[in-house]
């Protein structure tokens, strides 16, 4: 066995690249039900956590809830579109989608087009008074499709440094750089982890994964050390109690909200921390409000929903009929799972706060549309999934079936 084979772990294995027309089957209904449940949960808690800030900032307690509902409507259309098409068509669309994503990230940095909020330029104005769009959310969708198509087309050359590793690093690095320029460190880290996971699953050599991890970590450390960006979140993580009224205020209030719910919560809509104690209670901090209002039981239910979503997604990837479908499903699962981990980990003070929203649940129209579109892709792959072959019957069962199916002759009079 060659050394390259020893140092690589192709998790999805070799698949027969099918040609011709796929015959669509039934979609993964449990997966769809899980996504619907999380979306409905998000609509409920966006309203519950935002009516106070909506009243103060916009004079309308339903301001954020209505916008989230509109995002859910657009997301439903995106979900139906991507779930109903043959996902293989996206291989031809992937370069165009990637180009549009990069143009969107560049547009954010253009004065007059990009919209700045809270010191960050992450949105673009599309039409008049309509809510701005966040291109980085759709860049996640584009990079999942592009990387899946690109890696699937490389075959055994995936372990080649010049042909694969370097171009892969350039594309992912360019997207990460543009997102960092907004600046948005959390999303840049998330996209890097997502692309790296897909590269690993596709069968990349472990030594290449190690080198990319070291280089990426070094770049991240250099950015934090030179520019100081993100350093305050790390210091808040390790020493929030030393400055509870300033730097440590957010993380401590999140923990207070999460812990005050107890086992069953203070009651739906009865949160106290959402009244301007928890910053961004309807966006990054919505999981803390869930824990406060419906308690430990509700928080665990949310975790179980995300775990079940990941399980159905991994199952879809394993049963995908081709490498592109397997990588596409893997990318969507890694996207949703990593983002949920980064959000919940930050709120529970397991890791530093990253500013990453909770998929399906946090307020954000662009994020909800992109997430539901990605779920539609996952459902599309599930519709063309390979069916499990029936197990061969044991000799005793075959004999019993023969006896039962044999014609019964009546005795002659």
């Amino acid at each position: 066995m060659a050394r390259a084979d020893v140092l690589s772990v192709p998790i999805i294995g070799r698949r027969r690249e099918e040609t011709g027309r796929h015959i669509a089957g039934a979609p993964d209904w449990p997966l769809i039900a899980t996504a619907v449940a999380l979306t409905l949960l998000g609509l409920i808690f966006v309203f519950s956590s935002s009516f106070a800030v909506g009243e103060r900032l916009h004079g309308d307690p339903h301001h954020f809830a209505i916008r989230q509902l509109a995002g859910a409507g657009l997301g439903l259309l995106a979900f139906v579109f991507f779930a109903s098409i043959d996902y293989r068509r996206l291989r031809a669309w992937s370069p165009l989608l990637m180009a549009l994503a990069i143009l969107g990230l560049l547009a954010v940095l253009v004065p007059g087009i990009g919209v700045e909020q809270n010191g960050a330029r992450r949105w673009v104005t599309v039409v008049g008074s309509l809510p701005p769009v966040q291109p980085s959310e759709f860049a996640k969708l584009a990079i999942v499709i592009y990387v899946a198509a690109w890696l699937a087309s490389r075959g055994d050359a995936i372990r080649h440094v010049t042909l694969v590793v370097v171009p892969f690093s350039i594309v992912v690095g360019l997207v990460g750089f543009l997102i960092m320029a907004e600046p948005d460190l959390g999303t840049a880290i998330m996209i890097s982890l997502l692309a790296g996971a897909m590269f690993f699953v596709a069968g990349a050599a472990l030594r290449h994964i190690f080198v990319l991890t070291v280089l990426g970590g070094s770049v991240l450390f250099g950015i934090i050390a030179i520019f100081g960006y993100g350093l305050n979140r790390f210091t808040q993580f390790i020493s929030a109690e030393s400055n509870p009224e300033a730097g440590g205020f957010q993380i401590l209030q999140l923990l207070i909200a999460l812990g005050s719910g107890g086992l069953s919560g203070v009651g739906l809509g009865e949160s106290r921390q959402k009244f301007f104690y928890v910053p961004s209670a309807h966006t990054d901090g919505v999981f803390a409000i869930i824990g406060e209002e419906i308690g430990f039981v509700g928080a665990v239910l949310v975790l179980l929903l995300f775990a079940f979503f990941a399980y159905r997604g991994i199952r879809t990837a394993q049963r995908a009929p081709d490498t592109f479908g397997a990588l596409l499903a893997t990318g969507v699962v890694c996207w949703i799972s990593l983002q949920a981990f980064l959000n919940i980990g930050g709120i529970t003070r397991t890791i530093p706060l990253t500013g990453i929203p909770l998929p399906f649940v946090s307020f954000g129209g662009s994020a909800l549309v992109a997430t539901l579109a990605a779920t539609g892709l996952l459902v599309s792959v599930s519709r063309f999934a390979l069916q499990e072959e029936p197990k061969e019957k044991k000799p005793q069962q075959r004999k019993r079936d023969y006896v039962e199916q044999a014609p019964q002759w009546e005795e002659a009079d």
Side-chain angles (χ1 to χ4, degrees):
M1 181 179 293
R3 182 175 179 79
D5 293 331
V6 175
L7 297 180
S8 64
V9 184
I11 295 178
I12 62 174
R14 294 297 174 196
R15 297 174 181 271
R16 178 171 61 88
E17 298 292 341
E18 296 190 354
T19 58
R21 182 180 178 183
H22 284 199
I23 299 177
D28 190 334
W29 290 110
L31 176 67
I32 295 174
T34 305
V36 169
L38 286 168
T39 303
L40 291 176
L41 188 74
L43 291 173
I44 293 171
F45 278 96
V46 163
F47 172 68
S48 177
S49 60
S50 70
F51 69 80
V53 67
E55 177 67 33
R56 169 173 287 189
L57 297 180
H58 303 281
D60 181 7
H62 304 98
H63 174 80
F64 294 103
I66 292 174
R67 289 179 59 178
Q68 187 75 351
L69 186 61
L74 292 174
L76 177 61
L77 295 177
F79 169 84
V80 172
F81 172 77
F82 282 106
S84 61
I85 66 172
D86 186 337
Y87 69 88
R88 294 183 303 167
R89 296 182 182 180
L90 297 174
R91 295 189 72 161
W93 300 353
S94 60
L96 175 61
L97 294 174
M98 192 72 253
L100 291 175
I102 291 175
L103 287 176
L105 294 174
L106 289 171
V108 169
L109 307 177
V110 178
I113 299 178
V115 178
E116 184 173 348
Q117 295 181 11
N118 300 322
R121 191 183 293 270
R122 301 174 185 171
W123 300 267
V124 293
T125 301
V126 180
V127 179
S129 60
L130 291 179
V133 175
Q134 190 171 358
S136 61
E137 293 296 334
F138 298 100
K140 299 173 188 175
L141 181 63
I143 204 164
V144 165
I145 297 171
Y146 181 80
V147 169
W150 191 74
L151 290 176
S153 66
R154 292 304 180 269
D156 292 333
I158 195 170
R159 303 181 186 95
H160 198 287
V161 175
T162 306
L163 296 178
V164 176
V165 179
V166 173
F168 172 84
S169 304
I170 292 174
V171 172
V172 177
L174 174 61
V175 174
F177 173 78
L178 291 175
I179 293 176
M180 280 293 301
E182 296 179 357
D184 189 350
L185 179 62
T187 300
I189 292 175
M190 212 282 293
I191 284 182
S192 300
L193 292 174
L194 164 63
M198 295 177 66
F199 192 40
F200 172 74
V201 168
L206 290 181
R207 64 178 182 275
H208 296 158
I209 296 293
F210 176 76
V211 171
L212 290 176
T213 301
V214 171
L215 290 176
S218 301
V219 171
L220 177 62
F221 179 79
I223 291 173
I224 293 175
I226 296 173
F227 300 102
Y229 180 69
L231 183 61
N232 59 331
R233 291 184 177 179
F234 182 75
T235 56
Q236 292 166 12
F237 170 68
I238 60 176
S239 59
E241 292 80 5
S242 63
N243 195 6
E245 297 181 357
F249 180 81
Q250 182 177 11
I251 184 60
L252 293 178
Q253 294 302 319
L254 286 169
L255 292 175
I256 291 171
L258 194 62
S260 61
L263 183 62
S264 58
V266 298
L268 186 62
E270 299 298 323
S271 166
R272 295 179 292 272
Q273 293 299 109
K274 66 187 176 188
F275 289 100
F276 315 110
Y277 288 100
V278 173
S280 304
H282 58 301
T283 55
D284 306 343
V286 69
F287 184 75
I289 305 303
I290 291 174
E292 183 182 8
E293 293 193 348
I294 57 177
F296 177 77
V297 174
V300 170
L301 175 62
V302 173
L303 293 175
L304 290 176
L305 286 172
F306 278 110
F308 187 71
F309 184 95
Y311 162 71
R312 301 301 297 190
I314 292 171
R315 181 175 179 269
T316 298
Q318 291 174 334
R319 299 173 62 207
D322 55 22
T323 303
F324 174 61
L327 287 173
L328 197 62
T330 299
V332 174
V333 171
C334 289
W335 170 0
I336 304 299
S337 302
L338 280 172
Q339 195 161 313
F341 169 77
L342 291 174
N343 176 271
I344 296 174
I347 289 175
T348 57
R349 205 177 178 183
T350 307
I351 59 174
L353 286 169
T354 58
I356 293 289
L358 187 61
F360 300 106
V361 182
S362 291
F363 170 77
S366 297
L368 186 55
V369 172
T371 303
L372 287 172
T375 305
L377 288 180
L378 193 56
V379 171
S380 177
V381 178
S382 75
R383 292 172 59 230
F384 298 97
L386 296 174
Q387 300 300 318
E388 296 180 358
E389 297 181 0
K391 296 181 180 179
E392 185 178 356
K393 295 180 179 180
K394 297 180 180 180
Q396 297 85 346
Q397 182 63 39
R398 289 201 298 267
K399 181 179 179 180
R400 186 160 49 250
D401 291 346
Y402 175 79
V403 172
E404 292 174 353
Q405 296 171 8
Q408 304 297 319
W409 301 100
E410 294 183 2
E411 293 184 2
D413 292 337

